[in-house]
Amino acid sequence: MKLTRREFLLKGTAMFATLSLGGILFTETGRSIFAGGASDDVDEPVLVVVQLSGGNDGINTLIPYGQGVYYDSRPTLAYQQKDVLALDYQVGLHPSLSGLSDLFKNGNMAIIQGVGYPEPDHSHFRSMEIWQTAEPAKISRSGWLARYIESSLRDNANPLKAVQVGAAGSKAFASEKMSFPVIQSLESYHVIDPKTPMMDKNRITKAFLDMYSDQNQMEQLRVVSGRGYEAYKSVEAIQSLTASYANKVEYPKTNFASDLQLVVKLLAGKSGTRVFNVQVGGFDDHADEKEQHARVLTQVDQGLTAFYKDLEAQGLQDRVAIMMFSEFGRRVKENGSGGTDHGTAAPMFVIGGKVKGGLYGAYPSLSNLDNGDLKYEVDFRSVYSTLVDHWLKGDASAVLGKPYESLKFI
C-alpha cells in the first residue's frame, strides 16, 4: 500500500530521532540505496579541530611566570612559580594541564604564542565567526573548512569526509554546495527507529526519497532535496562502518571526552573522515575565574590526554593532528569580580605524533598593550595555512584567498 504524504509526516515525525535520524535504507528489492558505505581511502592525514568556546584566558593557560607584570596585573588570579608547569624559564602551563605538559615534553605538542588578527572584535559571536570563516574584514557565508573540502576534496564522494561531533554545528562548515553531518553518538545516528517493522521502514524510506528526489522539483527546492539525500547517505555510511574499535583507554565521563572518543571510533571503523570538529564551552570567566577556569581546563586536559592515548593504542597518532583554539583571550588585568574580561590574542595548540613540538612565535608584551589588550604576534590564518598546505596537502590559497606565513610545527 502506498504511503500518503500525510501518513509519512505522521509516522515519520514519530520515528525520526535527532538526525540523529536509524537503520539502513533499502530499495524495494532489498538492496542498500547507498551501497558502498564509507571511503576505502583511510590512510590520509586527519585534522581534528577543538574549539574552546567562551574566550579562554590564554594568559592563565600559557602562563608568563617569568614576567613580574603578570603578578602586578593579577593579584588574585596569578599562579605562583612553584605551581606553574614550567616549559622554559619564562612560560609554563596552568597546573590543571599536566597531561598536555607531558605531551609538550615528549615533543608531541606545538604552542603558537600570541595568535590573533587585525582590528580584533570583543564580541563572542563576531569573533568566533571570524575564526570559523577566516574573514576578519567582512561577513562571509562560507566556512574555512568548507572551502578546504570544496577545493581539495571535491572529488571525494565519501559522505563522512568531514564530520561535526557533538550537539551543534560550526560555521567553519558553512557551505552552499555541501552539507556535513553533526553526530552525537553512533548509537543514535539513525533515520528511522531501528525498532520499526521492516515493511514500515521501507515504506517510509520510499516516501522520504520520493519527497526529496531532485527530479520534478522546483529549482528552489533542489537544495533542500540535496541536503535530505546527503543526510541519508551519511546515516548509511555510519551503519556500514566496520566494528573494529576496541576500547583500550579509560575516558573521563564528560561530554567532551565522549565526543573525542567518537572520533577514534569513526577512524578505527575506517570512516575515511579527513576533518572533525569538536567543541567544549565554559570559558567566559568574568567572575570567580580561578575555580571555574581550573575546572574546564581539567576537563580539556583529561579528555585530550585520553584521546591521544587512544590514538596511540589504535596506531593512529601519526595520522591525526589536533588544532585547539578559542575565539579570543582575556585582558591582562583582572577585574573586580575575580575574573577577566574579553581580550584579544591567545595561544593555539597543535598536537600529534608528527607535530614538531615546541614554542612558536613570541609571547606578547604584558606592558606594551593596545588599550589594555595584548597585541597579537601571529595571524591565526598562518596556522590554518600551515595545516592546509603541509598537513592536509590542500590548497591554502583557495581556502584563505592569499598566502600566509608558513610555520614550522608540521
Side-chain angles (χ1 to χ4, degrees), residues 111-176:
I111 303 175
I112 303 94
Q113 304 177 97
V115 184
Y117 56 88
E119 300 182 18
D121 196 296
H122 290 90
S123 160
H124 287 294
F125 178 82
R126 177 57 188 147
S127 190
M128 185 60 80
E129 182 179 51
I130 287 169
W131 280 82
Q132 292 173 344
T133 64
E135 293 283 7
K138 65 180 182 180
I139 303 297
S140 175
R141 297 179 66 180
S142 69
W144 77 278
L145 289 172
R147 294 197 296 273
Y148 158 69
I149 296 160
E150 290 167 359
S151 61
S152 298
L153 301 181
R154 58 183 175 274
D155 296 327
N156 185 335
N158 179 8
L160 301 178
K161 57 181 169 285
V163 172
Q164 305 177 78
V165 180
S170 164
K171 195 171 181 180
F173 292 87
S175 171
E176 294 182 353

Side-chain angles (χ1 to χ4, degrees), residues 36-69:
S39 170
D40 292 329
D41 187 11
V42 295
D43 296 321
E44 296 295 325
V46 175
L47 177 64
V48 179
V49 176
V50 175
Q51 173 181 309
L52 308 180
S53 301
N56 177 44
D57 183 3
I59 295 173
N60 264 14
T61 300
L62 183 64
I63 300 172
Y65 74 92
Q67 298 188 44
V69 67

Side-chain angles (χ1 to χ4, degrees), residues 112 356 360-361 378-391 393 396 400 402-410:
I112 303 94
K356 297 175 183 176
Y360 293 82
V378 177
D379 193 304
F380 75 94
R381 290 166 290 185
S382 290
V383 181
Y384 288 4
S385 177
T386 301
L387 287 165
V388 171
D389 271 346
H390 300 295
W391 180 247
K393 307 302 182 184
L400 302 171
K402 66 178 185 179
Y404 287 87
E405 177 188 7
S406 180
L407 306 177
K408 305 301 181 183
F409 59 80
I410 293 290

Side-chain angles (χ1 to χ4, degrees), residues 180-300:
F180 308 102
V182 180
I183 302 174
Q184 288 185 270
S185 75
L186 298 183
E187 294 74 23
S188 66
Y189 196 72
H190 297 300
V191 176
I192 303 170
D193 189 329
K195 297 178 182 179
T196 304
M198 183 59 69
M199 184 176 295
D200 282 343
K201 189 181 297 185
N202 289 339
R203 291 167 62 209
I204 294 170
T205 297
K206 186 178 185 307
F208 185 91
L209 293 176
D210 287 345
M211 288 177 64
Y212 282 87
S213 170
D214 62 359
Q215 299 178 1
N216 303 318
Q217 293 277 21
M218 295 173 56
E219 184 65 32
Q220 295 90 330
L221 295 179
R222 290 194 176 178
V223 173
V224 176
S225 298
R227 302 285 169 144
Y229 190 77
E230 288 172 1
Y232 268 108
K233 286 198 294 184
S234 69
V235 171
E236 174 70 359
I238 287 291
Q239 298 301 316
S240 71
L241 294 180
T242 61
S244 57
Y245 176 74
N247 187 3
K248 302 175 183 179
V249 174
E250 183 177 356
Y251 279 80
K253 298 187 184 306
T254 64
N255 289 336
F256 178 60
S258 295
D259 290 346
L260 291 172
Q261 188 177 28
L262 177 55
V263 172
V264 184
K265 289 179 179 179
L266 287 168
L267 292 176
K270 303 188 183 304
S271 67
T273 308
R274 299 293 307 284
V275 180
F276 292 92
N277 189 79
V278 180
Q279 304 179 34
V280 58
F283 289 92
D284 197 15
D285 295 319
H286 289 282
D288 302 321
E289 177 178 319
K290 200 132 192 183
E291 179 180 337
Q292 293 185 46
H293 196 225
R295 184 173 63 251
V296 291
L297 286 184
T298 297
Q299 180 183 164
V300 168

